[in-house]
Amino acid sequence: MLACCPVDYALNDITPMRESKGLNWSGDLVADPSPWVRYTNDGIVFVDADKKTATDWAQLDILVPEVYCAACIGAIEANFKKLKSVKYARLNLTRKRLTIRWDEQLNSAKDMMVVLEWLGYHGQPFDRKSFDSNQSDKQLKHLLTALGVAGFAASNVMLFSVSVWAGADASTRVFFHWISALIALPALAFSGQTFFKSAFYALRAGRLNMDVPIALAVLLAVYVSVSETLSGGAHAYFDAAITLLFFLLAGRYLDMSMRQRARSAAEQLISMSATAATIILANGERQSIKLANINLGDKIFVAIGEKIPVDGQVIEGKSDIDRAFLTGESIPETTHIGETVHAGSINLTGSLTLKVTAIGQDTLLADIIRLMEEAERTDAKYVRLADRVAKLYAPAVHVLALVTLIGWLIYGLSFTPALFIATSVLIITCPCALGLAVPAVQVVASGILLRLGILLKDGIALEKLADVNMVIFDKTGTLTLGRPVLVNQAQISDQHIKQAASLAVNSKHPLSQAIVRTATERGLTFVTNDTITEEVGKGLKGLDDKGRVVLLGKQDYVAPEIKPTLNYNAEFYLSVAGQSPISFIFEDSLRPDAKLTIDKFRNAGLEVAILSGDRQLVVENIADQLQIDNWQANCSPQDKLNHVNGYQKLGKKVFVVGDGSNDAPALAAAYVSMSPGSATDISQLSADLIFQSQSLLSTYKVWQISKFSRGLIKQNIGLAIGYNMFAVPIAILGFATPFVAAIAMSTSSMIVTLNALRLRLKEKSL
Amino acid sequence: MSGLVFLIPIALLLGAIGLAGFLWTLRSGQYDDIEGASERILDTRFDEKPEQEGDSQEENK
């Protein structure tokens, strides 16, 4: 659910924490608040403590993925600053990072996490140093500085160039050329570093990249311009050289800032997947430890609502286990003593004690991760459109300039003027518009995606998505909401719903919660009382207001004498004072726009299929509703992977949408993949795109945007090359003056940028 | 012609001031959180006076 500024997260839903360097960080689960902090309904009350003199401020960096708007910033920063101990609290919305500096004598790092949880945000502390983004931060800053310097130099040099073009001559022109040189040379030396370095490395490795013609053009332009200036000649290319760098740096900056945004999204996901577990020591004491320190045979305690951290055998307790993320099954299963539960499933209704049977690399979850990694390795390398063009373009440009030079030499021109003409060819053909053509479109596109609540983890995905011709959906949690809904409502009276709800409200079982939701939807008021008890794995029992015994739960608990309507667990019975039981049938309901999305894809000529780990009957029902013929049920993660690979071997380009851990290998193997924001960590990790909104239609929208931006990129490349077709003959024939170069370069760059902005118009029609 | 003696240095100086300003905004981290900046303007907390480091300490006294 896309909830801006969440405030009602259950406190038992707390993300375990990882150790953070330089802090006395216990790694404990947040269970009991510190003596300094107390929570009330009105806000946080901070118990006074004598302030000792702080020698140093402790600092904690926390990733908070759920912040979206000004109210989030306000809520978090203002509340942290209410704390006596906190000196500095700042939330970076772009990176979704919160930095807090505070006095450690007063509050511990744990307290800070408790406060954040209390405010309704999930956070994950991280070690600033362990993130490599600092490195790219510096690069980005350097690019921006270079861009600023190039912009300053370009505008000032242009001032003198315009004067020269306007007719300044003789000593004035020489004087202006000298000033231009004085401004342009240091600026070129500073701003051009990125290109010079990259060209140098490419040449040393024996390759040609787009930066080689750029560096060569700039260097040659400087050479001919300086020699023109020295000899008092008419043409200097200082303005062209520096403007060229300015446009190219702008393209480079846009490209890099987009990649960094994608990377920080991926980093967030990686850091969120760290977990801890509660171990039961020999003396019965419970202690929270890191997953890495758990051994086989250890006793582990799993509280209600927690994710099971390891594979283990149940030695105490009984509970309903939600295995949807592992298997795709929508209805939880009851686990008894002696049975094995797997890491990644969620413990719903009762606390469990497990004996660890598999850890780390041996768990079922780790098997899936291995499959996923393997699928990722074999995923064919995709060469970006821009790189493919550059591969052809760079050699062509060099050959053209060289041929021009040799041609003019043969024609009888001396070396310096011939070199001048060859240089003008290089400058005119310089991939200025080409360098802007792709990043400009991608930046506009990723901005639109962000507004739609779609995170792009990799810019390439947007390019690849335009190619897909088949869409495969997972069922549970993707086509469906992943939560059961009462389907035989019409047959159940308000009275019975009311009675069922007053029991069900005491349980965390998803079927019980579905009953409560139904009651609320019907606008019924129901009362509950303290006679109600839950028998884990069976159902609920209690007295109603007239003192009659009411039972709600599974058939064998409520009415062992009858035959169940369904042959699987998605059914509850209600029995009041021994009267004949009433059946409640549940189903995982479709997302409201699932049908629309499927139809749109189908009308666009894409093939649609379902791969699910759920039972035949359930999947068939969903496939019928959506009119999809191509579906598979009972798929293991390996099966899903095989199916996806099979389709791809047939030459299909598959777009996989899934949310469970069981989808992760298929997501990784797919040509492009997407996960909802509610998905498990590892499936989000392996997907290329993540949509935060409740709407499945995002999958179709992102495909449309991708198609349209692919079209724009092609148009832009076409425009850039087309402009060369006109300009190059002029340059080869020696008619290109610096004035012509400046006009041609600027107009082509402007045209591709404006063309990229057409994507915004498309956004409105979505 | 003699006007150039003044005009050129003035033009360069103005440009340099612009560049220095840009470099200052960059160094002081004003581009670190562009999305945040566009949201923060909606925040009424600092309408009276801008935020300063250590503000929370003073408020508590």
Side-chain angles (χ1 to χ4, degrees):
Chain A
M1 187 173 67
L2 180 92
C4 192
C5 319
V7 284
D8 57 348
Y9 282 114
L11 266 168
N12 61 8
D13 205 15
I14 284 166
T15 325
M17 281 162 276
R18 210 170 40 161
E19 241 176 58
S20 181
K21 226 174 154 184
L23 294 168
N24 50 6
W25 189 257
S26 57
D28 286 347
L29 285 165
V30 179
D32 48 304
S34 99
W36 313 120
V37 193
R38 210 169 57 211
Y39 313 107
T40 71
N41 286 333
D42 307 323
I44 307 173
V45 176
F46 297 99
V47 180
D48 258 356
D50 288 331
K51 170 126 167 66
K52 295 159 196 152
T53 40
T55 48
D56 210 348
W57 300 104
Q59 177 170 327
L60 184 64
D61 295 291
I62 309 169
L63 277 174
V64 194
E66 291 150 332
V67 289
Y68 300 100
C69 64
C72 300
I73 299 179
I76 291 181
E77 287 184 359
N79 277 305
F80 268 105
K81 282 179 182 170
K82 277 191 217 151
L83 278 164
K84 201 165 194 170
S85 60
V86 172
K87 176 178 161 58
Y88 175 87
R90 190 157 183 102
L91 184 73
N92 183 328
L93 198 65
T94 318
R95 297 285 175 70
K96 309 212 182 275
R97 288 175 188 175
L98 172 66
T99 304
I100 311 170
R101 276 183 224 128
W102 80 99
D103 180 0
E104 260 206 295
Q105 313 261 322
L106 294 181
N107 288 115
S108 73
K110 206 167 101 179
D111 297 338
M112 298 299 144
M113 294 307 295
V114 179
V115 172
L116 190 65
E117 290 290 347
W118 181 86
L119 290 170
Y121 295 88
H122 291 274
Q124 178 72 46
F126 71 95
D127 186 3
R128 196 176 265 264
K129 287 175 213 116
S130 72
F131 274 67
D132 65 322
S133 57
N134 273 354
Q135 181 65 24
S136 65
D137 260 6
K138 266 191 203 132
Q139 279 176 355
L140 211 57
K141 263 196 173 162
H142 181 81
L143 267 183
L144 210 51
T145 316
L147 184 69
V149 170
F152 157 78
S155 58
N156 280 289
V157 170
M158 197 55 82
L159 218 61
F160 298 104
S161 295
V162 170
S163 314
V164 172
W165 300 332
D169 60 357
S171 59
T172 316
R173 188 177 64 206
V174 176
F175 176 56
F176 281 1
H177 279 170
W178 273 111
I179 299 180
S180 301
L182 221 61
I183 303 168
L185 290 180
L188 285 171
F190 176 72
S191 300
Q193 278 173 19
T194 322
F195 302 99
F196 298 146
K197 272 187 204 153
S198 152
F200 175 72
Y201 290 132
L203 286 179
R204 202 173 57 179
R207 289 182 294 110
L208 270 186
N209 63 9
M210 212 59 141
D211 291 338
V212 176
I214 294 170
L216 194 65
V218 169
L219 288 177
L220 279 176
V222 166
Y223 172 75
V224 298
S225 304
V226 169
S227 67
E228 281 278 297
T229 307
L230 285 172
S231 65
H235 300 306
Y237 271 123
F238 291 119
D239 63 293
I242 193 79
T243 318
L244 188 77
L245 279 191
F246 176 72
F247 283 131
L248 289 168
L249 282 168
R252 208 51 68 94
Y253 174 74
L254 291 180
D255 191 43
M256 193 155 167
S257 61
M258 200 191 77
R259 280 189 211 189
Q260 198 195 23
R261 194 191 278 170
R263 194 174 33 232
S264 64
E267 275 171 353
Q268 277 172 26
L269 294 172
I270 292 167
S271 71
M272 293 304 276
S273 60
T275 46
T278 311
I279 191 170
I280 303 177
L281 301 174
N283 59 9
E285 227 174 87
R286 285 175 194 174
Q287 197 181 7
S288 175
I289 63 169
K290 283 194 277 184
L291 262 191
N293 298 340
I294 292 176
N295 295 314
L296 282 180
D298 279 352
K299 276 207 253 173
I300 295 286
F301 176 78
V302 186
I304 296 176
E306 265 183 9
K307 201 184 273 180
I308 295 172
V310 291
D311 284 6
Q313 199 183 21
V314 180
I315 52 176
E316 215 182 301
K318 190 166 157 194
S319 177
D320 291 298
I321 303 286
D322 177 2
R323 307 176 69 218
F325 287 137
L326 279 171
T327 61
E329 266 179 27
S330 41
I331 304 296
E333 271 170 25
T334 308
T335 305
H336 305 272
I337 290 175
E339 286 176 357
T340 301
V341 292
H342 296 287
S345 12
I346 295 163
N347 182 18
L348 288 175
T349 47
S351 50
L352 292 175
T353 306
L354 307 178
K355 200 175 100 195
V356 181
T357 55
I359 43 169
Q361 292 306 303
D362 304 318
T363 59
L364 190 64
L365 193 64
D367 276 343
I368 294 176
I369 293 175
R370 245 192 314 277
L371 265 181
M372 176 189 107
E373 282 168 351
E374 218 153 278
E376 238 156 28
R377 249 200 314 279
T378 51
D379 200 8
K381 274 265 174 287
Y382 179 85
V383 185
R384 307 203 325 165
L385 200 60
D387 293 338
R388 272 182 280 168
V389 174
K391 219 170 166 182
L392 296 173
Y393 194 81
V397 168
H398 287 126
V399 169
L400 208 60
L402 194 66
V403 168
T404 310
L405 177 68
I406 294 169
W408 279 102
L409 286 176
I410 292 171
Y411 187 72
L413 215 63
S414 62
F415 183 73
T416 312
L419 184 68
F420 184 87
I421 294 171
T423 305
S424 70
V425 171
L426 266 184
I427 290 177
I428 292 271
T429 55
C430 222
C432 190
L434 218 53
L436 269 174
V438 181
V441 174
Q442 287 190 331
V443 164
V444 177
S446 74
I448 293 174
L449 291 185
L450 212 67
R451 276 192 290 281
L452 287 173
I454 297 165
L455 272 177
L456 187 62
K457 272 169 60 194
D458 189 348
I460 296 177
L462 198 64
E463 252 183 80
K464 287 164 97 178
L465 193 57
D467 292 335
V468 298
N469 49 20
M470 180 172 193
V471 196
I472 297 180
F473 290 96
D474 165 50
K475 185 190 71 71
T476 317
T478 306
L479 286 174
T480 66
L481 290 166
R483 58 163 203 229
V485 169
L486 188 59
V487 285
N488 63 338
Q489 281 207 42
Q491 298 153 24
I492 305 169
S493 67
D494 280 357
Q495 178 58 27
H496 286 138
I497 294 272
K498 241 161 121 171
Q499 279 171 325
S502 49
L503 264 76
V505 74
N506 294 294
S507 167
K508 282 204 156 194
H509 195 285
L511 297 189
S512 302
Q513 291 182 341
I515 294 177
V516 176
R517 268 199 304 276
T518 310
T520 320
E521 276 160 23
R522 286 198 188 180
L524 302 175
T525 47
F526 49 90
V527 284
T528 182
N529 57 50
D530 52 13
T531 61
I532 295 158
T533 53
E534 178 166 23
E535 199 156 335
V536 174
K538 290 182 172 172
L540 296 136
K541 185 182 189 177
L543 300 175
D544 70 0
D545 42 6
K546 295 188 186 106
R548 296 175 298 183
V549 177
V550 184
L551 292 171
L552 175 74
K554 288 179 184 163
Q555 170 261 331
D556 49 6
Y557 175 66
V558 178
E561 69 283 358
I562 62 161
K563 272 191 91 126
T565 325
L566 295 174
N567 56 355
Y568 57 92
N569 283 339
E571 188 175 25
F572 263 12
Y573 283 89
L574 173 76
S575 138
V576 184
Q579 294 166 13
S580 67
I582 294 128
S583 154
F584 287 68
I585 297 171
F586 300 88
E587 216 170 67
D588 190 5
S589 66
L590 280 174
R591 280 185 197 253
D593 54 0
K595 181 93 174 74
L596 182 68
T597 310
I598 301 285
D599 287 346
K600 284 204 166 194
F601 271 122
R602 211 184 276 132
N603 291 340
L606 276 77
E607 226 177 296
V608 183
I610 300 179
L611 287 179
S612 175
D614 210 344
R615 295 178 193 83
Q616 185 100 7
L617 209 69
V618 186
V619 183
E620 190 172 5
N621 179 14
I622 293 285
D624 271 358
Q625 288 182 43
L626 296 170
Q627 295 162 351
I628 296 174
D629 306 324
N630 187 352
W631 55 269
Q632 300 283 340
N634 296 317
C635 291
S636 70
Q638 180 74 52
D639 291 340
K640 289 197 179 196
L641 177 62
N642 292 347
H643 279 297
V644 169
N645 280 336
Y647 286 125
Q648 304 209 113
K649 279 209 185 88
L650 291 174
K652 295 240 185 327
K653 293 196 165 128
V654 180
F655 176 29
V656 175
V657 187
D659 76 322
S661 301
N662 59 333
D663 299 313
L667 289 169
Y671 192 63
V672 196
S673 52
M674 192 158 171
S675 273
S678 56
T680 48
D681 303 330
I682 68 161
S683 63
Q684 290 202 9
L685 260 180
S686 48
D688 301 311
L689 295 143
I690 292 154
F691 63 102
Q692 307 276 4
S693 66
Q694 190 77 286
S695 150
L696 192 64
L697 201 58
S698 319
T699 56
Y700 180 71
K701 284 183 183 163
V702 71
W703 178 70
Q704 268 196 317
I705 291 171
S706 150
K707 289 267 284 191
F708 195 70
S709 48
R710 159 64 75 95
L712 281 179
I713 288 175
K714 281 189 171 161
Q715 276 175 21
N716 271 354
I717 291 175
L719 280 172
I721 290 175
Y723 131 85
N724 275 324
M725 304 268 240
F726 279 106
V728 166
I730 300 175
I732 290 178
L733 295 176
F735 295 126
T737 59
F739 179 59
V740 173
I743 297 286
M745 221 153 55
S746 316
T747 39
S748 71
S749 298
M750 302 250 275
I751 288 171
V752 296
T753 312
L754 289 176
N755 196 33
L757 287 175
R758 288 206 303 134
L759 199 56
R760 288 264 176 100
L761 300 176
K762 181 82 180 169
E763 182 186 11
K764 293 199 182 92
S765 71
L766 283 178
Chain B
M1 266 310 275
S2 62
L4 290 180
V5 178
F6 301 101
L7 291 177
I8 289 174
I10 289 173
L12 289 181
L13 186 72
L14 287 174
I17 291 172
L19 180 63
F22 171 72
L23 291 179
W24 171 73
T25 57
L26 184 66
R27 296 260 154 79
S28 61
Q30 297 189 31
Y31 302 98
D32 286 355
D33 183 15
I34 295 175
E35 275 166 48
S38 67
E39 294 285 348
R40 270 169 207 278
I41 196 163
L42 301 171
D43 193 327
T44 53
R45 275 185 299 155
F46 308 115
D47 284 357
E48 299 296 319
K49 63 180 174 84
E51 181 185 20
Q52 249 130 47
E53 208 165 301
D55 259 2
S56 55
Q57 292 302 299
E58 282 157 34
E59 277 166 27
N60 278 325
K61 270 172 195 167

